[in-house]
Amino acid sequence: MSATTAIEPQFRTVDGARIRYAESGGPQEPVILLTSPWPESIYAFASVWTSLADSARLFAIDLPGFGASERREDLLSPRAMGGFLAELISEADLGTPHIVAPDVGTSAALFAAAAHPERIASVIVGTGGAAVPLQLGEPLASWVLDPDLDKYRRMDAGAIVGAAVDTIEGGIPDDVRADYLDCYDGDRFVESMRYVRRYPEELPVLAELLPQIETPVTIINGRHDPVVPLANAQFLDKRLPNSRVVVIDGGHFIWEEAPGEYASAVLDSLTGDRS
């Protein structure tokens, strides 16, 4: 059976952008809004989909400019993407969802919680740049800080994305890997870099907002993440008034490397288990 069978992608327009998304059947409440990590897609959640769908209604999206969703230049920043998430919740009639937003979704979800706390039940983030000053490993540090973006345009996007996802411990199914490569073909990968290149400008703004976020926040991070070190989770936990950190033995792509532990941490957050 294909690893992607459980996820049935569709397309819809939200706030003027055509996005790829998938919904689950099962319970109608609670609702979990999942945002794709980078350079992956909604299929990053294939390994946790069934476990989560048994307990919640799932609505997963490729963020605009990521995965197979349309790029909108004005949304390629964490703060703008936070505004998009708030709009999506309204347009897709998601009620008051729990947002699961690993990796690049971390900062966007926290910006959304700061601006629209009434729309969000809780936030589950992690493995995303958050610390100020920046604390990032390679290759992300170079993707954020390298002054020469054009050199990445001259590179083979497939080679860049392939090298990144091939670090996933245990590997990933061929059909999932093929989707990742297809999603960032041509100029899509280098253009998606514009989002993380806003970190130096926008993460300090987010840091000032963190103490005001009363929404419950769970930060899930890999203990051995070489790309986004655990220090980023600790930075958030120190400043957020209602947070906890869950550390999973694994690297950067913990939703795929340790899906059972990741799904359990998400479900514990939904039930209010802050232990």
Side-chain angles (χ1 to χ4, degrees):
M1 179 181 292
S2 167
T4 60
T5 299
I7 297 178
E8 299 179 359
Q10 306 175 64
F11 287 87
R12 66 182 293 166
T13 298
V14 176
D15 195 22
R18 186 172 184 265
I19 64 163
R20 184 170 70 170
Y21 73 102
E23 292 187 89
S24 69
Q28 290 303 300
E29 293 287 344
V31 177
I32 301 178
L33 168 60
L34 303 105
T35 71
S36 58
W38 180 62
E40 299 163 277
S41 73
I42 54 175
Y43 288 117
F45 302 114
S47 296
V48 300
W49 191 263
T50 300
S51 297
L52 297 180
D54 285 343
S55 300
R57 172 192 171 198
L58 308 184
F59 191 97
I61 70 162
D62 285 337
L63 293 167
F66 296 92
S69 289
E70 180 183 15
R71 181 173 67 242
R72 249 184 54 192
E73 302 294 337
D74 61 316
L75 293 180
L76 290 179
S77 78
R79 193 169 197 172
M81 197 68 80
F84 173 84
L85 289 176
E87 185 64 29
L88 169 70
I89 290 168
S90 177
E91 288 195 27
D93 195 22
L94 298 182
T96 308
H98 301 266
I99 301 182
V100 175
D103 194 64
V104 291
T106 292
S107 48
L110 291 171
F111 268 120
H116 302 281
E118 75 285 353
R119 300 190 188 185
I120 301 166
S122 74
V123 175
I124 299 100
V125 292
T127 74
V132 180
L134 293 175
Q135 298 195 47
L136 305 173
E138 294 296 346
L140 182 57
S142 292
W143 294 350
V144 171
L145 298 171
D146 195 324
D148 184 10
L149 186 61
D150 285 338
K151 82 177 184 183
Y152 294 97
R153 298 185 188 281
R154 298 188 291 270
M155 295 181 182
D156 179 356
I160 297 174
V161 174
V165 300
D166 285 346
T167 65
I168 298 173
E169 186 177 345
I172 54 176
D174 290 342
D175 51 352
V176 172
R177 187 179 190 276
D179 183 73
Y180 297 165
L181 295 178
D182 185 59
C183 285
Y184 294 99
D185 193 24
D187 71 346
R188 283 188 58 83
F189 177 77
V190 69
E191 292 300 326
S192 68
M193 289 174 65
R194 294 185 181 278
Y195 179 95
V196 297
R197 290 169 74 84
R198 296 292 296 275
Y199 281 0
E201 172 187 347
E202 295 206 344
L203 291 185
V205 177
L206 178 61
E208 293 295 321
L209 295 172
L210 294 176
Q212 306 168 30
I213 298 176
E214 297 290 343
T215 304
V217 179
T218 297
I219 309 145
I220 311 175
N221 223 91
R223 187 182 307 278
H224 311 293
D225 189 339
V227 179
V228 182
L230 188 56
N232 289 271
Q234 295 165 338
F235 180 91
L236 292 174
D237 190 46
K238 183 178 180 180
R239 290 159 178 79
L240 288 162
N242 188 8
S243 65
R244 68 171 183 138
V245 175
V246 177
V247 180
I248 292 176
D249 268 330
H252 180 66
F253 301 94
I254 47 177
W255 42 90
E256 289 170 294
E257 295 179 358
E261 292 176 74
Y262 191 83
S264 292
V266 169
L267 293 174
D268 286 347
S269 299
L270 267 58
T271 60
D273 184 350
R274 314 296 292 169
S275 60

